[in-house]
Amino acid sequence: EVQLVESGGGLVQPGGSLRLSCAASGFTFSSYSMNWVRQAPGKGLEWVSYISSSSSTIYYADSVKGRFTISRDNAKNSLYLQMNSLRDEDTAVYYCARDFDWLLPWGQGTLVTVSS
Amino acid sequence: AIRMTQSPSSFSASTGDRVTITCRASQGISSYLAWYQQKPGKAPKLLIYAASTLQSGVPSRFSGSGSGTDFTLTISCLQSEDFATYYCQQYYSYPPYTFGQGTKLEIK
């Protein structure tokens, strides 16, 4: 069964940092591009970042560019999102999702709360 | 970035109804469109990709159509488990992938 499991969310103060992880199983992780998508409480979906299978191509939403860094470790079947200089507006559930251009599947999400 | 606009933002329907949700792109996206269903507290689930291709395991009462700028998601006979929020997503031009604002389908 294809599965994605996020971890690393929590409460952090504005200006702080957090590293999210996404553990993949049930498929050849190294063959697929991956994404992070977030959803603020009560709001819609916002794409955050994309990384190709070999990490050669990386994209970010303008809202996180320069503050967030996506990476992956194909040997560990894991995807990461390093989030620095966090702001109140980064509060959201963060999902990882496998890329087919469409997103399939999605993990269950991990909640990041930025608050003092 | 391509802007995706869904209508309506929310509406009420009854079990057994036929419902249609519309998604409009700010520029032509050919058929590079996906639809997702999201239930409260859960991750989005892919329903349709390439505007009209049903994802494996999704009930046949769901269908998608359209190309260019105008797209529809139709549920032919609403079931209780279909009450959820639906999102469209374009993948014609990225970054960024962009989503519609969502359509919340509630029980009448």
Side-chain angles (χ1 to χ4, degrees), chain B residues 46-89:
Chain B
L46 177 71
L47 298 175
I48 287 168
Y49 60 93
S52 61
T53 302
L54 200 66
Q55 170 62 20
S56 175
V58 174
S60 59
R61 63 182 180 272
F62 290 92
S63 63
S65 65
S67 67
T69 60
D70 295 316
F71 302 86
T72 59
L73 172 69
T74 299
I75 311 172
S76 61
C77 183
L78 267 178
Q79 303 298 302
S80 58
E81 61 266 32
D82 300 335
F83 291 96
T85 301
Y86 294 85
Y87 294 93
C88 60
Q89 176 228 337

Side-chain angles (χ1 to χ4, degrees), chain A residues 13-33:
Chain A
Q13 292 187 337
S17 298
L18 213 53
R19 189 196 196 206
L20 305 184
S21 299
C22 170
S25 59
F27 65 102
T28 304
F29 179 73
S30 59
S31 296
Y32 291 89
S33 300

Side-chain angles (χ1 to χ4, degrees), chain A residues 13-81:
Chain A
Q13 292 187 337
S17 298
L18 213 53
R19 189 196 196 206
L20 305 184
S21 299
C22 170
S25 59
F27 65 102
T28 304
F29 179 73
S30 59
S31 296
Y32 291 89
S33 300
M34 298 292 295
N35 294 272
W36 288 100
V37 178
R38 69 184 179 183
Q39 186 170 35
K43 302 298 184 182
L45 301 169
E46 180 190 17
W47 171 81
V48 172
S49 186
Y50 162 101
I51 186 168
S52 63
S53 58
S54 64
S55 304
S56 59
T57 300
I58 287 174
Y59 301 127
Y60 297 101
D62 287 346
S63 58
V64 307
K65 201 173 294 182
R67 301 187 299 121
F68 289 11
T69 302
I70 192 172
S71 63
R72 63 190 296 161
D73 185 335
N74 286 341
K76 294 183 178 180
N77 291 336
S78 293
L79 174 72
Y80 306 102
L81 187 68

